[in-house]
Amino acid sequence: MKKKWIHLLEPWIIPILIVVIWEVSNKTGILANTILPAPSDVVKAGYEQAVSGVLFEHLQISTTRALIGFLIGGSIAFVIGILNGIVPFAQRYLDTTIQMLRNIPNLALIPLVIIWFGVGEEGKIFLVAISVFFPIYVNTYHGIRNVDPRLIEMGKIYNLSKFKLFFKVIILGAMPSILVGIRYSLGIMWLTLIVAETVAASSGIGYMSMNAREYMQLDIVVLAIILYAILGKIADSIAKLLEKKLLKWNPVYQ
Amino acid sequence: MTNGINIELVNLTKRFGKNEVLKGINLIIPAGQFVAIVGKSGCGKSTLLRIIANLEQKTDGESLKDGIQQEDFSGVRVMFQEDRLLPWLSVLENVGVGTKLIKNWQPLALKALDQVGLKDRANEWPHVLSGGQKQRVALARALSAKPRLLLLDEPLGALDALTRLEMQNLIEELWLNQKYTSLLVTHDVAEAITLADRIILIEDGNLALDLPVKLPRPRTRSNPKFAELEEILLQHLLGQQNEKSTKPKELQAII
């Protein structure tokens, strides 16, 4: 029992140590406040922003953008990935095109997106959708292509209906790979949104951070960075939880 | 008494490109019979089984089940060398695949699982089972839908000697109970003699030997007739190496 507690604590020792050193250097004047505000100041800023409600407003806006973009891009990618994975005809027509587009850094589209959508919601959602599309597409497609053909042959010879063959053999077989795609795309999702919000937005955490920079409110800038870290960690934990739940048959995830 | 399928192969031929794997096989297997197909690796015995299973297209000739050319897999079950269990389904649901997982599959699957002695493992994942247990689950899956023809493609090839013997007993027992037609491809001569009513030897794509086995069941190696049969088959298999095409006909005449 005692050992378990130590194991739970272990990953946090270094982060805590860093924060403590950071705070101490600030307070002793080694690290100037104009370069990096003390953790306590960041917490204070966070508290003030939270009390005034501004923080949650920005948080909510950013999260909504992220989720809508993820749902749109992810579901299109999922459907096309499945289509290309099981219909050779579709694969011949679509895969090369998608692989070509995949190599465009999606942030290179920002100037175009600003011209198309201005600083409205659509632009950010569009960018997020594009960015999550590729990891989910690639991993869904490969997951399906890599399902053991001997298992599919077995399903066929055992007269499973097309529907059962699809869900019980192909989709479940591709699930580990699909989840890798989801996990990866959740990271990309925040990354893209942050950049998009810092470049072209009038709300959201990225905007909050850029706005604070104008007034040299370093504590708020750091607060925004920390929020991103937390949001990213939450997204990753959700993906991990999904893996644990959906892949419990796999000894690797037990 | 039997609900098995009878099989009729007429001049069955299979070519992969220029390579002729089966050179006109003629064979009739009456319903309910247990036939073992033996031969060296690459002789075409697995291809023969896969054509009968409709997993492979024949090049020429006929492969009839109950007198007709069947296109689907109804009534036919195959057990492969690998267990081919779906690792993401429970043991019970894997067995249920044999009944297509349609309405009320659970009782049937549970019964089949009970027959192979693994009822208490129903809710576990396949990966926790041993190799022999996995093959027993695969056997339960094959039998859960009451097949009329069971095709066994070296299903025991990857198991250790002791587990093989256990599985052989189980396969014999279940076949005696249910009396489906059974076709076993194996390179293990003793296994063929233990299980089969009749042993077919395939050599270079030809049917080289058709040997009835009239020993009382359950069969033991201590029976001198067992050793005699084993000797004939082994000599034949090994003899091929030197005199390729002359010996089969001689032996066929003796038998």
Side-chain angles (χ1 to χ4, degrees):
Chain A
M1 199 60 216
K2 205 174 173 189
K3 255 216 156 122
K4 246 189 167 171
W5 271 108
I6 292 174
H7 281 312
L8 277 175
L9 216 70
E10 271 169 346
W12 298 102
I13 291 176
I14 291 178
I16 289 169
L17 214 64
I18 290 174
V19 171
V20 169
I21 293 171
W22 176 8
E23 178 78 32
V24 170
S25 351
N26 260 108
K27 293 299 166 200
T28 52
I30 298 170
L31 190 63
N33 260 340
T34 46
I35 294 188
L36 203 60
S40 56
D41 293 338
V42 175
V43 172
K44 215 170 79 194
Y47 177 74
E48 280 161 10
Q49 298 282 316
V51 169
S52 68
V54 179
L55 181 64
F56 294 112
E57 209 176 292
H58 288 309
L59 250 180
Q60 194 212 338
I61 288 168
S62 289
T63 311
T64 312
R65 282 172 188 156
L67 287 183
I68 294 177
F70 179 81
L71 283 180
I72 294 173
S75 46
I76 296 173
F78 186 61
V79 170
I80 298 182
I82 288 172
L83 188 74
N84 284 0
I86 53 184
V87 185
F89 174 78
Q91 185 265 335
R92 284 200 303 275
Y93 273 83
L94 292 174
D95 191 53
T96 307
T97 313
I98 293 173
Q99 296 300 342
M100 252 172 353
L101 293 175
R102 188 164 75 94
N103 289 309
I104 303 171
N106 54 61
L107 295 174
L109 295 175
I110 287 183
L112 210 53
V113 167
I114 294 177
I115 291 169
W116 287 348
F117 301 104
V119 293
E121 290 308 292
E122 301 89 344
K124 260 83 71 188
I125 290 172
F126 176 79
L127 275 173
V128 171
I130 295 261
S131 70
V132 301
F133 179 88
F134 296 106
I136 293 191
Y137 166 76
V138 168
N139 286 287
T140 304
Y141 172 66
H142 282 287
I144 285 178
R145 292 300 294 264
N146 287 333
V147 173
D148 189 345
R150 294 176 304 183
L151 293 181
I152 297 173
E153 184 186 69
M154 184 282 297
K156 279 187 185 151
I157 199 176
Y158 277 73
N159 269 334
L160 284 184
S161 62
K162 284 235 157 73
F163 184 79
K164 292 247 160 64
L165 190 68
F166 178 68
F167 281 101
K168 296 280 180 185
V169 183
I170 294 174
I171 289 290
L172 288 178
M175 197 51 87
S177 181
I178 293 171
L179 288 174
V180 167
I182 288 177
R183 197 164 165 191
Y184 190 74
S185 70
L186 283 173
I188 299 258
M189 168 184 90
W190 284 119
L191 180 90
T192 309
L193 186 66
I194 295 160
V195 178
E197 279 185 350
T198 40
V199 175
S202 52
S203 58
I205 303 170
Y207 167 77
M208 183 181 91
S209 159
M210 282 314 277
N211 201 41
R213 187 203 56 132
E214 303 252 332
Y215 303 102
M216 281 300 280
Q217 293 171 306
L218 269 183
D219 45 358
I220 293 182
V221 174
V222 175
L223 175 70
I225 292 170
I226 289 171
L227 279 178
Y228 281 131
I230 293 172
L231 289 172
K233 177 74 190 156
I234 291 173
D236 197 56
S237 301
I238 292 172
K240 247 186 178 162
L241 202 75
L242 268 178
E243 276 180 352
K244 225 175 168 173
K245 202 144 183 82
L246 291 171
L247 304 180
K248 56 175 185 252
W249 54 269
N250 192 329
V252 175
Y253 294 95
Q254 278 172 351
Chain B
M1 198 193 130
T2 169
N3 68 343
I5 288 175
N6 81 66
I7 297 172
E8 195 177 348
L9 307 178
V10 186
N11 197 25
L12 189 73
T13 307
K14 174 71 183 176
R15 277 185 293 269
F16 290 109
K18 275 188 183 156
N19 184 16
E20 196 165 38
V21 183
L22 296 173
K23 301 171 182 167
I25 302 273
N26 289 296
L27 182 65
I28 292 176
I29 299 172
Q33 198 169 50
F34 198 132
V35 176
I37 303 175
V38 295
K40 289 203 276 194
S41 46
C43 72
K45 57 190 194 300
S46 276
T47 308
L48 180 65
L49 184 112
R50 289 178 66 85
I51 290 174
I52 294 172
N54 282 344
L55 285 173
E56 202 96 60
Q57 292 288 318
K58 59 184 191 299
T59 311
D60 215 348
E62 305 243 42
S63 161
L64 305 173
K65 295 192 196 77
D66 286 342
I68 52 166
Q69 171 74 49
Q70 236 184 39
E71 296 301 335
D72 60 2
F73 303 114
S74 58
V76 183
R77 285 291 178 258
V78 185
M79 227 183 126
F80 302 92
Q81 176 158 10
E82 324 84 47
D83 55 68
R84 301 204 188 183
L85 299 179
L86 300 169
W88 44 85
L89 298 185
S90 70
V91 167
L92 186 69
E93 207 173 349
N94 262 295
V95 177
V97 166
T99 62
K100 301 191 239 171
L101 292 171
I102 45 180
K103 268 193 288 186
N104 296 324
W105 59 268
Q106 287 96 340
L108 279 172
L110 210 57
K111 202 180 146 211
L113 206 51
D114 194 23
Q115 284 175 340
V116 300
L118 286 173
K119 201 178 178 182
D120 52 331
R121 311 299 292 269
N123 295 316
E124 296 187 34
W125 300 115
H127 78 87
V128 302
L129 303 180
S130 69
Q133 287 170 329
K134 283 182 193 159
Q135 273 306 34
R136 267 150 75 190
V137 175
L139 182 61
R141 177 178 65 189
L143 297 180
S144 62
K146 302 245 172 300
R148 299 178 55 224
L149 170 62
L150 181 63
L151 302 171
L152 304 144
D153 189 3
E154 297 197 35
L156 312 182
L159 302 179
D160 63 88
L162 214 63
T163 315
R164 282 179 82 115
L165 291 180
E166 273 174 28
M167 280 295 286
Q168 284 168 10
N169 289 338
L170 188 64
I171 287 172
E172 182 178 40
E173 185 191 312
L174 292 170
W175 170 73
L176 285 170
N177 278 333
Q178 303 185 16
K179 278 293 176 190
Y180 38 79
T181 310
S182 203
L183 205 58
L184 167 73
V185 164
T186 181
H187 54 251
D188 181 344
V189 168
E191 182 171 292
I193 302 168
T194 308
L195 292 172
D197 292 325
R198 177 181 171 195
I199 297 172
I200 307 281
L201 199 145
I202 304 269
E203 180 183 294
D204 284 334
N206 288 308
L207 203 155
L209 199 62
D210 186 344
L211 197 67
V213 184
K214 293 199 173 99
L215 301 173
R217 293 172 190 271
R219 294 168 180 162
T220 51
R221 280 164 186 259
S222 51
N223 189 329
K225 282 284 248 180
F226 193 111
E228 210 175 292
L229 275 170
E230 196 171 8
E231 189 61 30
I232 294 176
L233 283 163
L234 279 177
Q235 251 181 22
H236 199 93
L237 281 166
L238 297 172
Q240 280 173 234
Q241 275 165 347
N242 312 328
E243 316 145 56
K244 268 220 152 160
S245 56
T246 50
K247 213 158 184 189
K249 294 218 172 67
E250 286 169 34
L251 254 165
Q252 221 163 6
I254 297 167
I255 291 147

